[in-house]
Amino acid sequence: MERIVFLDRGGISVPLRPPCFPHQWQEYPDTRPEDVVGRLADATIAITDQVAISAEHLAELPQLRLIAVAATGVDHVDLDACRHQGVTVVNVRNWSVSVPEHVFSLILALRRNLLTYHDVVQGGAWQRSEGYLVQVEPMPRSLSGATLGIIGVGALGSAVATLGEAFGMEVLYAERKGAAEVRSDRTPFEEVLAKSDVLVLLCPLTEESRGMIGAAELKLMPRHAILINCGRGGLLDEAALAQALKEGVIAGAGLDVLTQEPPRDGSPLLDLKQPNLIVTPHVAWISDRSSATLAEQVIGNVEGFVLGHPRNLVV
């Protein structure tokens, strides 16, 4: 009988149906790093949303057969150690319709100065105005005719591109940074930065992509450009972005992820109190439809592995 342990069930707010095979199920709202081994001591299957499973953990878990990641990103699981130990890793894919929507929520809020206009009304400036409106600087910018640069051409990047085209935007897909050759459907990395009015990061966090956007890259962007990161926090240098926003190197940024989550040690970005910066707490993926799809796919991945037809294999 399989023993399944969900290390951080609290991240999924919708019901999970029981797998269709004999099993024991144990779940925890969250798990601290020092408790991972103890909680997985007898488990054959581990489910994790964001709890890290390291090589050190795996060395003490010889009975573990499967790690089912309840997310798309797998940078918190030591994949090399899993290969060495023969542990299968699966993830969920093409499940979140809400991430592209969240991306455009951030884009529209920043391009239309919604936070500033909200403050104008809340502060009574409109009520005191002699005219019928109150205008603020900078002037709101249209999306129609603007250039949308996308770094990370997976299902989410393609969905963001579709929305951008519906707004009348020109879409550029970035080639990998430092690539020797540029694929026919891609644009050189630096050229995308230089041409994009809106730059969106949606790629996985790897050793290759870690810190890909720093001070030098931000200076390549137009001063009126905005940066959106709904990929992983480690893709950019937070201190460099904070400085760029303070100095007006770029016009704004919208982030749903930070390098440390939760940011218990703070972040240079959280110290900024500017209307051209919006930070949301890693919630872009959350919606009723997306959560239900994710929950079903997690259980389906576990069933597929146990019943002999694994899917969404990472390792």
PDB file of all heavy atoms in Angstrom, residues 79-109:
ATOM      1  N   LEU A  79      16.971  17.652  -8.332  1.00  0.00           N
ATOM      2  CA  LEU A  79      16.698  16.689  -9.402  1.00  0.00           C
ATOM      3  C   LEU A  79      17.860  15.730  -9.614  1.00  0.00           C
ATOM      4  O   LEU A  79      17.652  14.549  -9.918  1.00  0.00           O
ATOM      5  CB  LEU A  79      16.376  17.434 -10.698  1.00  0.00           C
ATOM      6  CG  LEU A  79      15.163  18.368 -10.653  1.00  0.00           C
ATOM      7  CD1 LEU A  79      14.931  19.008 -12.014  1.00  0.00           C
ATOM      8  CD2 LEU A  79      13.905  17.619 -10.202  1.00  0.00           C
ATOM      9  N   ASP A  80      19.088  16.205  -9.473  1.00  0.00           N
ATOM     10  CA  ASP A  80      20.241  15.317  -9.626  1.00  0.00           C
ATOM     11  C   ASP A  80      20.221  14.213  -8.572  1.00  0.00           C
ATOM     12  O   ASP A  80      20.497  13.041  -8.864  1.00  0.00           O
ATOM     13  CB  ASP A  80      21.544  16.111  -9.527  1.00  0.00           C
ATOM     14  CG  ASP A  80      21.790  16.991 -10.750  1.00  0.00           C
ATOM     15  OD1 ASP A  80      21.250  16.662 -11.827  1.00  0.00           O
ATOM     16  OD2 ASP A  80      22.509  17.990 -10.623  1.00  0.00           O
ATOM     17  N   ALA A  81      19.891  14.597  -7.341  1.00  0.00           N
ATOM     18  CA  ALA A  81      19.803  13.601  -6.283  1.00  0.00           C
ATOM     19  C   ALA A  81      18.674  12.609  -6.551  1.00  0.00           C
ATOM     20  O   ALA A  81      18.805  11.409  -6.268  1.00  0.00           O
ATOM     21  CB  ALA A  81      19.603  14.288  -4.933  1.00  0.00           C
ATOM     22  N   CYS A  82      17.578  13.089  -7.102  1.00  0.00           N
ATOM     23  CA  CYS A  82      16.465  12.194  -7.445  1.00  0.00           C
ATOM     24  C   CYS A  82      16.895  11.190  -8.512  1.00  0.00           C
ATOM     25  O   CYS A  82      16.571   9.995  -8.425  1.00  0.00           O
ATOM     26  CB  CYS A  82      15.267  13.007  -7.925  1.00  0.00           C
ATOM     27  SG  CYS A  82      14.424  13.925  -6.614  1.00  0.00           S
ATOM     28  N   ARG A  83      17.598  11.661  -9.525  1.00  0.00           N
ATOM     29  CA  ARG A  83      18.098  10.742 -10.556  1.00  0.00           C
ATOM     30  C   ARG A  83      19.006   9.681  -9.940  1.00  0.00           C
ATOM     31  O   ARG A  83      18.901   8.490 -10.255  1.00  0.00           O
ATOM     32  CB  ARG A  83      18.854  11.516 -11.632  1.00  0.00           C
ATOM     33  CG  ARG A  83      18.004  12.430 -12.494  1.00  0.00           C
ATOM     34  CD  ARG A  83      18.817  13.027 -13.630  1.00  0.00           C
ATOM     35  NE  ARG A  83      18.030  14.021 -14.359  1.00  0.00           N
ATOM     36  CZ  ARG A  83      18.095  15.328 -14.113  1.00  0.00           C
ATOM     37  NH1 ARG A  83      18.907  15.788 -13.173  1.00  0.00           N
ATOM     38  NH2 ARG A  83      17.361  16.162 -14.807  1.00  0.00           N
ATOM     39  N   HIS A  84      19.906  10.119  -9.091  1.00  0.00           N
ATOM     40  CA  HIS A  84      20.866   9.211  -8.473  1.00  0.00           C
ATOM     41  C   HIS A  84      20.180   8.160  -7.610  1.00  0.00           C
ATOM     42  O   HIS A  84      20.588   6.993  -7.575  1.00  0.00           O
ATOM     43  CB  HIS A  84      21.861  10.015  -7.623  1.00  0.00           C
ATOM     44  CG  HIS A  84      22.868   9.170  -6.915  1.00  0.00           C
ATOM     45  ND1 HIS A  84      23.924   8.568  -7.568  1.00  0.00           N
ATOM     46  CD2 HIS A  84      22.981   8.827  -5.594  1.00  0.00           C
ATOM     47  CE1 HIS A  84      24.642   7.888  -6.692  1.00  0.00           C
ATOM     48  NE2 HIS A  84      24.094   8.022  -5.489  1.00  0.00           N
ATOM     49  N   GLN A  85      19.107   8.569  -6.945  1.00  0.00           N
ATOM     50  CA  GLN A  85      18.421   7.672  -6.014  1.00  0.00           C
ATOM     51  C   GLN A  85      17.264   6.926  -6.670  1.00  0.00           C
ATOM     52  O   GLN A  85      16.649   6.071  -6.052  1.00  0.00           O
ATOM     53  CB  GLN A  85      17.928   8.470  -4.805  1.00  0.00           C
ATOM     54  CG  GLN A  85      17.507   7.615  -3.620  1.00  0.00           C
ATOM     55  CD  GLN A  85      17.427   8.431  -2.342  1.00  0.00           C
ATOM     56  OE1 GLN A  85      18.361   9.174  -2.013  1.00  0.00           O
ATOM     57  NE2 GLN A  85      16.308   8.318  -1.627  1.00  0.00           N
ATOM     58  N   GLY A  86      16.965   7.249  -7.929  1.00  0.00           N
ATOM     59  CA  GLY A  86      15.876   6.577  -8.620  1.00  0.00           C
ATOM     60  C   GLY A  86      14.499   7.034  -8.206  1.00  0.00           C
ATOM     61  O   GLY A  86      13.531   6.272  -8.290  1.00  0.00           O
ATOM     62  N   VAL A  87      14.385   8.284  -7.781  1.00  0.00           N
ATOM     63  CA  VAL A  87      13.091   8.852  -7.385  1.00  0.00           C
ATOM     64  C   VAL A  87      12.491   9.585  -8.581  1.00  0.00           C
ATOM     65  O   VAL A  87      13.136  10.454  -9.174  1.00  0.00           O
ATOM     66  CB  VAL A  87      13.246   9.822  -6.198  1.00  0.00           C
ATOM     67  CG1 VAL A  87      11.901  10.459  -5.845  1.00  0.00           C
ATOM     68  CG2 VAL A  87      13.818   9.093  -4.987  1.00  0.00           C
ATOM     69  N   THR A  88      11.282   9.236  -8.930  1.00  0.00           N
ATOM     70  CA  THR A  88      10.585   9.909 -10.029  1.00  0.00           C
ATOM     71  C   THR A  88      10.043  11.249  -9.555  1.00  0.00           C
ATOM     72  O   THR A  88       9.558  11.373  -8.426  1.00  0.00           O
ATOM     73  CB  THR A  88       9.426   9.029 -10.538  1.00  0.00           C
ATOM     74  OG1 THR A  88       9.964   7.793 -11.015  1.00  0.00           O
ATOM     75  CG2 THR A  88       8.661   9.712 -11.663  1.00  0.00           C
ATOM     76  N   VAL A  89      10.114  12.267 -10.437  1.00  0.00           N
ATOM     77  CA  VAL A  89       9.569  13.588 -10.139  1.00  0.00           C
ATOM     78  C   VAL A  89       8.593  13.965 -11.244  1.00  0.00           C
ATOM     79  O   VAL A  89       8.918  13.851 -12.438  1.00  0.00           O
ATOM     80  CB  VAL A  89      10.676  14.651 -10.034  1.00  0.00           C
ATOM     81  CG1 VAL A  89      10.072  16.029  -9.737  1.00  0.00           C
ATOM     82  CG2 VAL A  89      11.699  14.277  -8.960  1.00  0.00           C
ATOM     83  N   VAL A  90       7.403  14.383 -10.862  1.00  0.00           N
ATOM     84  CA  VAL A  90       6.405  14.864 -11.818  1.00  0.00           C
ATOM     85  C   VAL A  90       5.935  16.240 -11.375  1.00  0.00           C
ATOM     86  O   VAL A  90       6.053  16.606 -10.204  1.00  0.00           O
ATOM     87  CB  VAL A  90       5.199  13.898 -11.926  1.00  0.00           C
ATOM     88  CG1 VAL A  90       5.631  12.563 -12.499  1.00  0.00           C
ATOM     89  CG2 VAL A  90       4.537  13.691 -10.560  1.00  0.00           C
ATOM     90  N   ASN A  91       5.407  17.000 -12.312  1.00  0.00           N
ATOM     91  CA  ASN A  91       4.872  18.325 -11.981  1.00  0.00           C
ATOM     92  C   ASN A  91       3.559  18.554 -12.712  1.00  0.00           C
ATOM     93  O   ASN A  91       3.105  17.696 -13.478  1.00  0.00           O
ATOM     94  CB  ASN A  91       5.886  19.438 -12.303  1.00  0.00           C
ATOM     95  CG  ASN A  91       6.129  19.588 -13.801  1.00  0.00           C
ATOM     96  OD1 ASN A  91       5.760  18.722 -14.610  1.00  0.00           O
ATOM     97  ND2 ASN A  91       6.768  20.673 -14.186  1.00  0.00           N
ATOM     98  N   VAL A  92       2.934  19.691 -12.462  1.00  0.00           N
ATOM     99  CA  VAL A  92       1.691  20.035 -13.146  1.00  0.00           C
ATOM    100  C   VAL A  92       2.002  21.037 -14.257  1.00  0.00           C
ATOM    101  O   VAL A  92       2.907  21.861 -14.124  1.00  0.00           O
ATOM    102  CB  VAL A  92       0.635  20.603 -12.179  1.00  0.00           C
ATOM    103  CG1 VAL A  92       0.191  19.532 -11.202  1.00  0.00           C
ATOM    104  CG2 VAL A  92       1.167  21.801 -11.413  1.00  0.00           C
ATOM    105  N   ARG A  93       1.249  20.942 -15.345  1.00  0.00           N
ATOM    106  CA  ARG A  93       1.561  21.744 -16.525  1.00  0.00           C
ATOM    107  C   ARG A  93       0.284  22.273 -17.183  1.00  0.00           C
ATOM    108  O   ARG A  93      -0.755  21.627 -17.155  1.00  0.00           O
ATOM    109  CB  ARG A  93       2.343  20.901 -17.552  1.00  0.00           C
ATOM    110  CG  ARG A  93       3.602  20.281 -16.966  1.00  0.00           C
ATOM    111  CD  ARG A  93       4.321  19.388 -17.940  1.00  0.00           C
ATOM    112  NE  ARG A  93       5.402  18.675 -17.276  1.00  0.00           N
ATOM    113  CZ  ARG A  93       6.221  17.822 -17.871  1.00  0.00           C
ATOM    114  NH1 ARG A  93       6.069  17.569 -19.179  1.00  0.00           N
ATOM    115  NH2 ARG A  93       7.175  17.224 -17.187  1.00  0.00           N
ATOM    116  N   ASN A  94       0.423  23.443 -17.777  1.00  0.00           N
ATOM    117  CA  ASN A  94      -0.652  24.024 -18.598  1.00  0.00           C
ATOM    118  C   ASN A  94      -1.977  24.066 -17.842  1.00  0.00           C
ATOM    119  O   ASN A  94      -3.030  23.776 -18.394  1.00  0.00           O
ATOM    120  CB  ASN A  94      -0.828  23.242 -19.906  1.00  0.00           C
ATOM    121  CG  ASN A  94       0.459  23.108 -20.684  1.00  0.00           C
ATOM    122  OD1 ASN A  94       1.367  23.933 -20.537  1.00  0.00           O
ATOM    123  ND2 ASN A  94       0.565  22.079 -21.506  1.00  0.00           N
ATOM    124  N   TRP A  95      -1.907  24.436 -16.572  1.00  0.00           N
ATOM    125  CA  TRP A  95      -3.086  24.349 -15.716  1.00  0.00           C
ATOM    126  C   TRP A  95      -3.635  25.709 -15.311  1.00  0.00           C
ATOM    127  O   TRP A  95      -4.796  25.819 -14.946  1.00  0.00           O
ATOM    128  CB  TRP A  95      -2.739  23.564 -14.446  1.00  0.00           C
ATOM    129  CG  TRP A  95      -1.604  24.174 -13.677  1.00  0.00           C
ATOM    130  CD1 TRP A  95      -0.276  23.976 -13.903  1.00  0.00           C
ATOM    131  CD2 TRP A  95      -1.692  25.092 -12.592  1.00  0.00           C
ATOM    132  NE1 TRP A  95       0.477  24.715 -13.024  1.00  0.00           N
ATOM    133  CE2 TRP A  95      -0.364  25.409 -12.196  1.00  0.00           C
ATOM    134  CE3 TRP A  95      -2.747  25.688 -11.906  1.00  0.00           C
ATOM    135  CZ2 TRP A  95      -0.085  26.289 -11.166  1.00  0.00           C
ATOM    136  CZ3 TRP A  95      -2.463  26.548 -10.875  1.00  0.00           C
ATOM    137  CH2 TRP A  95      -1.144  26.843 -10.511  1.00  0.00           C
ATOM    138  N   SER A  96      -2.819  26.756 -15.364  1.00  0.00           N
ATOM    139  CA  SER A  96      -3.244  28.024 -14.783  1.00  0.00           C
ATOM    140  C   SER A  96      -3.673  29.029 -15.849  1.00  0.00           C
ATOM    141  O   SER A  96      -2.839  29.582 -16.555  1.00  0.00           O
ATOM    142  CB  SER A  96      -2.123  28.631 -13.935  1.00  0.00           C
ATOM    143  OG  SER A  96      -2.573  29.839 -13.358  1.00  0.00           O
ATOM    144  N   VAL A  97      -4.964  29.239 -15.928  1.00  0.00           N
ATOM    145  CA  VAL A  97      -5.469  30.292 -16.815  1.00  0.00           C
ATOM    146  C   VAL A  97      -5.332  31.655 -16.159  1.00  0.00           C
ATOM    147  O   VAL A  97      -5.456  32.689 -16.826  1.00  0.00           O
ATOM    148  CB  VAL A  97      -6.952  30.041 -17.179  1.00  0.00           C
ATOM    149  CG1 VAL A  97      -7.102  28.763 -17.964  1.00  0.00           C
ATOM    150  CG2 VAL A  97      -7.830  30.012 -15.922  1.00  0.00           C
ATOM    151  N   SER A  98      -5.057  31.674 -14.858  1.00  0.00           N
ATOM    152  CA  SER A  98      -5.070  32.948 -14.140  1.00  0.00           C
ATOM    153  C   SER A  98      -3.749  33.704 -14.217  1.00  0.00           C
ATOM    154  O   SER A  98      -3.727  34.917 -14.037  1.00  0.00           O
ATOM    155  CB  SER A  98      -5.453  32.729 -12.672  1.00  0.00           C
ATOM    156  OG  SER A  98      -4.479  31.971 -11.997  1.00  0.00           O
ATOM    157  N   VAL A  99      -2.621  32.999 -14.459  1.00  0.00           N
ATOM    158  CA  VAL A  99      -1.341  33.715 -14.524  1.00  0.00           C
ATOM    159  C   VAL A  99      -1.327  34.755 -15.648  1.00  0.00           C
ATOM    160  O   VAL A  99      -0.963  35.916 -15.407  1.00  0.00           O
ATOM    161  CB  VAL A  99      -0.162  32.730 -14.656  1.00  0.00           C
ATOM    162  CG1 VAL A  99       1.138  33.488 -14.943  1.00  0.00           C
ATOM    163  CG2 VAL A  99       0.001  31.916 -13.382  1.00  0.00           C
ATOM    164  N   PRO A 100      -1.710  34.409 -16.882  1.00  0.00           N
ATOM    165  CA  PRO A 100      -1.758  35.445 -17.913  1.00  0.00           C
ATOM    166  C   PRO A 100      -2.701  36.601 -17.559  1.00  0.00           C
ATOM    167  O   PRO A 100      -2.405  37.762 -17.850  1.00  0.00           O
ATOM    168  CB  PRO A 100      -2.252  34.693 -19.157  1.00  0.00           C
ATOM    169  CG  PRO A 100      -1.827  33.277 -18.921  1.00  0.00           C
ATOM    170  CD  PRO A 100      -1.996  33.073 -17.449  1.00  0.00           C
ATOM    171  N   GLU A 101      -3.816  36.281 -16.905  1.00  0.00           N
ATOM    172  CA  GLU A 101      -4.735  37.338 -16.481  1.00  0.00           C
ATOM    173  C   GLU A 101      -4.070  38.252 -15.457  1.00  0.00           C
ATOM    174  O   GLU A 101      -4.230  39.479 -15.500  1.00  0.00           O
ATOM    175  CB  GLU A 101      -6.001  36.716 -15.889  1.00  0.00           C
ATOM    176  CG  GLU A 101      -6.829  35.937 -16.901  1.00  0.00           C
ATOM    177  CD  GLU A 101      -7.969  35.180 -16.244  1.00  0.00           C
ATOM    178  OE1 GLU A 101      -8.086  35.223 -14.998  1.00  0.00           O
ATOM    179  OE2 GLU A 101      -8.736  34.518 -16.969  1.00  0.00           O
ATOM    180  N   HIS A 102      -3.325  37.652 -14.527  1.00  0.00           N
ATOM    181  CA  HIS A 102      -2.632  38.445 -13.503  1.00  0.00           C
ATOM    182  C   HIS A 102      -1.555  39.309 -14.145  1.00  0.00           C
ATOM    183  O   HIS A 102      -1.367  40.478 -13.748  1.00  0.00           O
ATOM    184  CB  HIS A 102      -2.025  37.515 -12.455  1.00  0.00           C
ATOM    185  CG  HIS A 102      -1.642  38.197 -11.187  1.00  0.00           C
ATOM    186  ND1 HIS A 102      -2.513  38.382 -10.144  1.00  0.00           N
ATOM    187  CD2 HIS A 102      -0.472  38.755 -10.784  1.00  0.00           C
ATOM    188  CE1 HIS A 102      -1.904  39.005  -9.148  1.00  0.00           C
ATOM    189  NE2 HIS A 102      -0.652  39.246  -9.509  1.00  0.00           N
ATOM    190  N   VAL A 103      -0.842  38.744 -15.109  1.00  0.00           N
ATOM    191  CA  VAL A 103       0.171  39.518 -15.828  1.00  0.00           C
ATOM    192  C   VAL A 103      -0.446  40.780 -16.404  1.00  0.00           C
ATOM    193  O   VAL A 103       0.079  41.891 -16.239  1.00  0.00           O
ATOM    194  CB  VAL A 103       0.812  38.672 -16.950  1.00  0.00           C
ATOM    195  CG1 VAL A 103       1.616  39.552 -17.905  1.00  0.00           C
ATOM    196  CG2 VAL A 103       1.721  37.597 -16.357  1.00  0.00           C
ATOM    197  N   PHE A 104      -1.581  40.636 -17.056  1.00  0.00           N
ATOM    198  CA  PHE A 104      -2.199  41.816 -17.674  1.00  0.00           C
ATOM    199  C   PHE A 104      -2.879  42.715 -16.651  1.00  0.00           C
ATOM    200  O   PHE A 104      -3.030  43.923 -16.895  1.00  0.00           O
ATOM    201  CB  PHE A 104      -3.143  41.399 -18.808  1.00  0.00           C
ATOM    202  CG  PHE A 104      -2.430  41.387 -20.129  1.00  0.00           C
ATOM    203  CD1 PHE A 104      -1.744  40.269 -20.542  1.00  0.00           C
ATOM    204  CD2 PHE A 104      -2.371  42.523 -20.919  1.00  0.00           C
ATOM    205  CE1 PHE A 104      -1.036  40.265 -21.731  1.00  0.00           C
ATOM    206  CE2 PHE A 104      -1.665  42.544 -22.107  1.00  0.00           C
ATOM    207  CZ  PHE A 104      -0.997  41.401 -22.519  1.00  0.00           C
ATOM    208  N   SER A 105      -3.269  42.176 -15.514  1.00  0.00           N
ATOM    209  CA  SER A 105      -3.754  43.048 -14.447  1.00  0.00           C
ATOM    210  C   SER A 105      -2.647  44.004 -14.011  1.00  0.00           C
ATOM    211  O   SER A 105      -2.869  45.211 -13.826  1.00  0.00           O
ATOM    212  CB  SER A 105      -4.215  42.211 -13.245  1.00  0.00           C
ATOM    213  OG  SER A 105      -5.314  41.397 -13.569  1.00  0.00           O
ATOM    214  N   LEU A 106      -1.433  43.470 -13.847  1.00  0.00           N
ATOM    215  CA  LEU A 106      -0.294  44.306 -13.462  1.00  0.00           C
ATOM    216  C   LEU A 106       0.060  45.291 -14.577  1.00  0.00           C
ATOM    217  O   LEU A 106       0.331  46.471 -14.316  1.00  0.00           O
ATOM    218  CB  LEU A 106       0.907  43.419 -13.128  1.00  0.00           C
ATOM    219  CG  LEU A 106       0.761  42.511 -11.905  1.00  0.00           C
ATOM    220  CD1 LEU A 106       1.935  41.536 -11.813  1.00  0.00           C
ATOM    221  CD2 LEU A 106       0.656  43.327 -10.626  1.00  0.00           C
ATOM    222  N   ILE A 107       0.069  44.816 -15.813  1.00  0.00           N
ATOM    223  CA  ILE A 107       0.404  45.688 -16.943  1.00  0.00           C
ATOM    224  C   ILE A 107      -0.565  46.859 -17.021  1.00  0.00           C
ATOM    225  O   ILE A 107      -0.162  48.029 -17.128  1.00  0.00           O
ATOM    226  CB  ILE A 107       0.388  44.892 -18.264  1.00  0.00           C
ATOM    227  CG1 ILE A 107       1.549  43.881 -18.299  1.00  0.00           C
ATOM    228  CG2 ILE A 107       0.485  45.841 -19.466  1.00  0.00           C
ATOM    229  CD1 ILE A 107       1.488  42.925 -19.481  1.00  0.00           C
ATOM    230  N   LEU A 108      -1.847  46.566 -16.976  1.00  0.00           N
ATOM    231  CA  LEU A 108      -2.852  47.615 -17.117  1.00  0.00           C
ATOM    232  C   LEU A 108      -2.824  48.578 -15.939  1.00  0.00           C
ATOM    233  O   LEU A 108      -2.956  49.793 -16.113  1.00  0.00           O
ATOM    234  CB  LEU A 108      -4.235  46.992 -17.264  1.00  0.00           C
ATOM    235  CG  LEU A 108      -4.487  46.287 -18.607  1.00  0.00           C
ATOM    236  CD1 LEU A 108      -5.715  45.406 -18.532  1.00  0.00           C
ATOM    237  CD2 LEU A 108      -4.633  47.314 -19.726  1.00  0.00           C
ATOM    238  N   ALA A 109      -2.645  48.047 -14.734  1.00  0.00           N
ATOM    239  CA  ALA A 109      -2.587  48.924 -13.560  1.00  0.00           C
ATOM    240  C   ALA A 109      -1.431  49.907 -13.663  1.00  0.00           C
ATOM    241  O   ALA A 109      -1.565  51.089 -13.314  1.00  0.00           O
ATOM    242  CB  ALA A 109      -2.471  48.094 -12.298  1.00  0.00           C
TER     243      ALA A 109
END
